[in-house]
């Protein structure tokens, strides 16, 4: 297949690109390298079948050419990370909504299948022990910037499903739950690379709030494996799938686990949300996926444990630090 990856120089895109190339597919990436980076795709650039253009998905004429040359689109280009979302809401909303409109409209002309990358963030403050694809989505007020991310992704999902129903565009929607792995940056707020970076540097490990909020973590390799299987399954078309981990962990326990596993002397400190993200920030107390739908369709079961994830991220960071001569 000739695959077009929007946002393919991002952390998840680069892992997906590598797996597609491994499977003999061709990969063409469009990325504005705003939150993505060349570092992510450095190893891919020498490989046969890989190409990258640095531009925005808002460039419709270029996008038209790229879409004409591909068999499937993986639409990953989006604003990413809670920190960026809180700090740059205009960018978040515009990137997520306009970019997806352009991709879907161009794809629909040729009925090129689109895999839309959505997020567990869309569940917002929904209740329930596990979030299921058919469940209600409950967001906070528009005065709290964080929810703009979920709202914009919800519009993307509506739009993708509308194109599927009205224009027979094959779409698959994926809701990723806290996907983590080697190469992810902590710059935009992501908890694991931040904790690992802090632990390796001997700096305080910064737990937000009381640390009792919980998440499940997904190793990017488990996520990518699932995506490749979904794309090969005709039953995935027109459907939404959670992809996530099974082990629920509080952020406080995660901090201590990182400290223990990496044998770090870093203290664990607690930072109020207002200090981390500014006034009026709201967090999710709990976020756990119901995985029965994807389990049933493709037999998905995550292989990597939380410990594996932490150690993989740490190994990558240590390698990077060694290369740059930084300690430790
Ligand atoms: N978090 C934290 N310390 C950090 C970064 C994040 O305690 O340095 C918390 C964050 O407030 C949230 C959880 O870790 O409760 C997961 O944050 P992340 O940004 O990774 O993903 P989210 O689940 O918020 O999308």
């Amino acid at each position: 297949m000739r695959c077009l990856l929007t946002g393919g120089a991002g952390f998840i895109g680069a892992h997906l690109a590598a797996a597609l190339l491994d499977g003999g597919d061709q990969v063409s990436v469009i990325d504005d390298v705003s939150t993505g980076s060349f570092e992510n795709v450095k190893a891919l650039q020498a490989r046969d079948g890989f190409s990258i253009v640095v531009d925005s998905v808002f460039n419709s004429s270029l996008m038209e050419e790229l879409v004409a040359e591909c068999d499937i689109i993986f639409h990953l280009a989006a604003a990413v990370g809670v920190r960026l979302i809180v700090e740059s809401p205009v960018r978040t909303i515009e990137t997520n909504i306009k970019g997806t409109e352009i991709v879907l409209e161009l794809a629909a002309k040729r009925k090129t299948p689109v895999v839309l990358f959505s997020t567990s963030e869309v569940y917002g403050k929904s209740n329930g022990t596990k979030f299921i694809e058919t469940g209600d989505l409950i967001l906070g007020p528009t005065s709290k910037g964080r929810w703009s991310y979920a709202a914009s992704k919800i519009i993307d999902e509506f739009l993708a499903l509308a194109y599927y129903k009205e224009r027979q565009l094959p779409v698959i929607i994926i809701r990723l739950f806290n996907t983590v792995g080697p190469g992810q940056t902590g710059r935009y707020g992501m908890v694991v690379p931040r904790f690992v970076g802090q632990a390796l540097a001997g700096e305080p490990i910064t737990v937000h709030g009381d640390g009792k909020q919980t998440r499940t973590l997904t190793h990017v390799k488990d996520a990518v494996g699932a995506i490749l299987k979904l794309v090969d399954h005709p039953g995935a078309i027109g459907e939404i799938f959670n992809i996530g981990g099974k082990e629920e962990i509080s952020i406080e326990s995660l901090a201590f686990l990182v400290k223990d596993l990496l044998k770090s002397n870093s203290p664990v400190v607690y930072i109020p949300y207002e200090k981390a993200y500014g006034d009026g920030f709201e967090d999710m107390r709990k976020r756990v996926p119901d995985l029965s739908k994807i389990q049933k369709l493709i037999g998905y079961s995550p292989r990597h444990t939380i410990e594996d994830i932490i150690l993989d991220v740490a190994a990558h960071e240590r390698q990077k630090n060694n290369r740059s001569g930084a300690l430790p």
Side-chain angles (χ1 to χ4, degrees), residues 6-7 34-35 75-80 84 92 95-96 117 149 153 156:
T6 71
S34 52
T35 54
H75 179 44
L76 298 119
V80 72
L84 182 69
T92 303
T95 306
N96 290 1
F117 284 73
Y149 180 56
K153 284 292 191 175
D156 286 355

Side-chain angles (χ1 to χ4, degrees), residues 30 37 59 67 85 132 143 171 174 194 205 247 254 312:
I30 176 165
S37 76
N59 183 343
V67 169
I85 284 142
I132 188 160
S143 54
V171 298
I174 286 165
R194 281 176 62 81
I205 301 179
E247 305 168 275
L254 179 67
D312 270 10

Side-chain angles (χ1 to χ4, degrees), residues 146 178 189-191 194 206 208 213 215 251 283 287:
R146 184 206 182 120
N178 293 77
M190 278 74 166
V191 66
R194 281 176 62 81
T206 54
H208 296 161
Q213 68 273 32
R215 297 291 187 271
I251 297 303
D283 197 13
R287 186 193 275 159

Side-chain angles (χ1 to χ4, degrees), residues 76-156:
L76 298 119
V80 72
V82 172
R83 186 168 296 280
L84 182 69
I85 284 142
V86 172
E87 284 167 7
S88 314
V90 173
R91 178 166 159 198
T92 303
I93 299 166
E94 289 191 344
T95 306
N96 290 1
I97 296 182
K98 271 196 210 164
T100 303
E101 273 173 6
I102 290 172
V103 167
L104 291 172
E105 199 183 330
L106 291 172
K109 288 187 186 159
R110 298 165 177 271
K111 304 264 185 289
T112 308
V114 177
V115 180
L116 178 78
F117 284 73
S118 185
T119 164
S120 57
E121 186 85 9
V122 298
Y123 290 107
K125 307 196 274 188
S126 306
N127 290 319
T129 47
K130 288 182 177 176
F131 292 158
I132 188 160
E133 293 88 342
T134 48
D136 291 339
L137 310 178
I138 301 171
L139 305 188
T142 51
S143 54
K144 297 195 170 167
R146 184 206 182 120
W147 303 114
S148 65
Y149 180 56
S152 61
K153 284 292 191 175
I154 289 171
I155 290 290
D156 286 355

Side-chain angles (χ1 to χ4, degrees), residues 98-258:
K98 271 196 210 164
T100 303
E101 273 173 6
I102 290 172
V103 167
L104 291 172
E105 199 183 330
L106 291 172
K109 288 187 186 159
R110 298 165 177 271
K111 304 264 185 289
T112 308
V114 177
V115 180
L116 178 78
F117 284 73
S118 185
T119 164
S120 57
E121 186 85 9
V122 298
Y123 290 107
K125 307 196 274 188
S126 306
N127 290 319
T129 47
K130 288 182 177 176
F131 292 158
I132 188 160
E133 293 88 342
T134 48
D136 291 339
L137 310 178
I138 301 171
L139 305 188
T142 51
S143 54
K144 297 195 170 167
R146 184 206 182 120
W147 303 114
S148 65
Y149 180 56
S152 61
K153 284 292 191 175
I154 289 171
I155 290 290
D156 286 355
E157 291 194 13
F158 272 127
L159 206 54
L161 292 174
Y163 269 95
Y164 169 65
K165 284 181 194 136
E166 254 181 74
R167 312 256 180 99
Q168 293 74 50
L169 175 68
V171 298
I172 302 173
I173 297 171
I174 286 165
R175 290 181 180 162
L176 292 176
F177 282 68
N178 293 77
T179 305
V180 188
Q184 187 176 33
T185 169
R187 206 175 306 141
Y188 308 109
M190 278 74 166
V191 66
V192 174
R194 281 176 62 81
F195 283 3
V196 166
Q198 291 164 340
L200 290 178
E203 291 166 3
I205 301 179
T206 54
V207 170
H208 296 161
D210 63 5
K212 306 286 184 229
Q213 68 273 32
T214 67
R215 297 291 187 271
T216 64
L217 303 176
T218 321
H219 195 296
V220 66
K221 286 198 172 140
D222 283 327
V224 164
I227 292 159
L228 296 184
K229 280 193 182 166
L230 285 175
V231 163
D232 272 347
H233 200 301
I237 302 290
E239 297 290 335
I240 302 174
F241 295 94
N242 287 339
I243 299 182
K246 282 186 170 165
E247 305 168 275
E248 181 177 7
I249 187 166
S250 73
I251 297 303
E252 181 182 48
S253 306
L254 179 67
F256 284 104
L257 184 60
V258 168

